[in-house]
Amino acid sequence: MNKNGFTTTIVHADRRANTEFGAVHTPLHPSSEYAFADSRELTAVFQGKPGFTYARQGTPTTAALENKITQMEGGTGTVSFATGMAALTAIFFTLLKAGDHLICSHHIFGNTNSLLATLAGLGVEVSYVDATHVSNVAAALRPETRMVFTESLANPGTQIADLKAIGDWCREHGVAYVVDGTLTTPLLCRGKDVGASLIFNSLSKHIGGHGNALGGAVTDTGLYDWSQYPNIAEPYRKGKPATWGLTQIKKKGLRDMGGTLSSDAAHRLAVGAETLALRMERICANALALAQYLTEHARVVKVHYPGLPSHPQHERATALFQRRYGGLMGIELAPDIDAFEFLNRLRVLALATHLGDNRTLVLPVAHTIYYEMGAQRRAEMGISDNFLRVSIGIEDFEDLRADFEQALA
């Protein structure tokens, strides 16, 4: 990040990169291939020189978006993908191999859980631990441990891992540390500040913000020494070791696996990113006010929101997230309430599966995103049948409060 503030930097990022004709946005580049006047230049790009050859490995438009994300995170480089899950897949499948061991928080998104089950089927052993205490991570260490993975703010239970202590522990033991920062965004918590090696963001969520494009990104914070990582393939052990990890993720994840972000989606996400700070301020304010209202409601058993003093990691959230607590909350309705009937009475909230949108979204967790986990795993994670996930938007707060009030009546 340069000397300007967060929003100023992102709003002017394209223009400062010398866009054509003084355009304030990098234009869309829909071309699939890029031609060269000199065959030696074409060869040089294939062998690692910066440039574009085939859109599967990126375009000038995706590169402009990646530049914005890198500046947001204070990192050394970013690779973008067609979806968040494509980005996560690239991390795990390009940096881990059969026989490796991954330590993972057991408070994770349902689709991530499914992805890791697939990874385990290919020979990578995964240990799930309560990452809210670094001691649980430390107890799981093995000689073959290569990576630790956690979310900065768990979806949907809102648990907050012992992020900084885990980062210190990973650095001490030479273990790669991957943090999913989607729900806090680099505005509330940068992965670099908690010692992450790689930071993952689902760009479809708060960074894009408008529910009109999918995308994911992996950013290298520059904190990890990739020369000590045993799984970097020989062709990518060239140049500065700081670039090796991201190079392998890009080559394998984009070139080989094909999880490429389109220029059109990249443009939409880049424009959405310009208002991230403005939207997050409103979202966080709405979320805190709604959490405070609902925690006093007689028909709500519990509200899971880091901004409440009753949250187990409230003090940690206050220290890490700049006194803003994000837009995700979990709500447990009273047992006598039929969750489906309650949801059907809502008039402002949208019944939809997404996060970080301008609109407030709600869904019943046990019956949707955690359905495949089964009743036993849901019970272990504290997910009851009346547990609702709510992603707060930018609506007028009084409209949100009134909608809950009439639906709970």
Side-chain angles (χ1 to χ4, degrees), residues 316-337:
R316 181 178 297 164
T318 300
L320 289 175
F321 303 158
Q322 314 301 317
R323 295 185 179 276
R324 291 167 291 187
Y325 303 96
L328 177 73
M329 71 175 64
I331 299 171
E332 295 183 47
L333 301 177
D336 64 310
I337 297 177

Side-chain angles (χ1 to χ4, degrees), residues 33-356:
E33 70 274 4
Y34 293 81
F36 292 76
D38 186 331
S39 60
R40 293 179 181 84
E41 282 296 308
L42 170 63
T43 300
V45 174
F46 262 86
Q47 294 181 5
K49 180 182 178 179
F52 304 94
T53 57
Y54 191 58
R56 187 176 355 111
Q57 295 186 70
T59 69
T61 312
T62 61
L65 171 63
E66 291 164 355
N67 178 54
K68 286 186 176 181
I69 305 303
T70 299
Q71 291 185 73
M72 286 181 178
E73 292 287 1
T76 59
T78 297
V79 179
S80 60
F81 293 83
T83 66
M85 291 308 300
L88 272 183
T89 298
I91 293 172
F92 296 137
F93 280 67
T94 67
L95 294 180
L96 298 172
K97 62 183 181 181
D100 286 344
H101 177 233
L102 168 68
I103 302 173
C104 179
S105 169
H106 66 214
H107 303 299
I108 56 171
F109 177 45
N111 279 19
T112 305
N113 182 78
S114 178
L115 172 63
L116 293 178
T118 301
L119 189 69
L122 297 175
V124 175
E125 189 160 355
V126 182
S127 294
Y128 295 94
V129 303
D130 180 357
T132 60
H133 299 284
V134 67
S135 58
N136 296 325
V137 175
L141 180 66
R142 303 177 187 176
E144 61 272 20
T145 301
R146 298 285 175 259
M147 183 181 294
V148 172
F149 173 77
T150 187
E151 297 174 359
S152 59
L153 176 60
N155 171 19
T158 75
Q159 298 89 351
I160 300 169
D162 201 353
L163 294 168
K164 184 67 170 62
I166 294 174
D168 293 340
W169 180 88
C170 285
R171 181 173 62 252
E172 179 184 348
H173 292 85
V175 175
Y177 181 30
V178 180
V179 175
D180 177 345
T182 296
L183 292 178
T184 50
T185 80
L187 181 69
L188 272 60
C189 180
R190 296 195 311 174
K192 188 173 186 176
D193 295 337
V194 296
S197 311
L198 299 172
I199 185 76
F200 158 77
N201 283 290
S202 173
L203 305 179
S204 321
K205 311 303 191 297
H206 289 296
I207 289 178
H210 293 75
N212 61 357
L214 299 178
V218 182
T219 301
D220 194 312
T221 64
L223 299 179
Y224 187 76
D225 178 10
W226 292 102
S227 67
Q228 69 176 323
Y229 196 75
N231 294 351
I232 301 297
E234 194 59 37
Y236 311 130
R237 290 180 173 270
K238 297 178 180 178
K240 297 180 180 179
T243 67
W244 293 357
L246 207 60
T247 297
Q248 181 154 306
I249 291 172
K250 181 174 183 176
K251 292 293 186 180
K252 297 297 182 181
L254 293 182
R255 185 194 63 193
D256 296 0
M257 298 178 185
T260 307
L261 180 67
S262 71
S263 290
D264 179 71
H267 177 75
R268 292 171 185 263
L269 295 167
V271 173
E274 293 179 355
T275 58
L276 172 62
L278 301 179
R279 289 181 285 103
M280 285 300 290
E281 291 290 349
R282 177 63 171 257
I283 286 168
C284 291
N286 274 349
L288 181 58
L290 187 61
Q292 291 169 338
Y293 162 72
L294 290 174
T295 198
E296 299 295 332
H297 201 289
R299 306 208 73 196
V300 175
V301 174
K302 190 172 185 179
V303 178
H304 302 263
Y305 185 67
L308 297 174
S310 59
H311 191 281
Q313 291 88 45
H314 173 69
E315 291 185 6
R316 181 178 297 164
T318 300
L320 289 175
F321 303 158
Q322 314 301 317
R323 295 185 179 276
R324 291 167 291 187
Y325 303 96
L328 177 73
M329 71 175 64
I331 299 171
E332 295 183 47
L333 301 177
D336 64 310
I337 297 177
D338 184 309
F340 294 102
E341 291 299 323
F342 164 80
L343 291 168
N344 290 341
R345 287 193 294 269
L346 293 169
R347 295 293 176 262
V348 175
L349 278 71
L351 310 183
T353 176
H354 189 43
L355 296 166

Side-chain angles (χ1 to χ4, degrees), residues 109 111 155 204-205 211 214 350-357 359-365 368-370 389 391:
F109 177 45
N111 279 19
N155 171 19
S204 321
K205 311 303 191 297
L214 299 178
L351 310 183
T353 176
H354 189 43
L355 296 166
D357 195 76
R359 289 149 286 274
T360 298
L361 313 174
V362 59
L363 85 170
V365 174
T368 55
I369 57 173
Y370 273 21
R389 184 185 74 180
S391 174

Side-chain angles (χ1 to χ4, degrees), residues 14-38:
D14 286 357
R15 182 175 64 84
R16 286 171 171 169
N18 299 318
T19 49
E20 298 165 309
F21 310 112
V24 297
H25 291 123
T26 296
L28 270 72
H29 290 79
S31 183
S32 298
E33 70 274 4
Y34 293 81
F36 292 76
D38 186 331

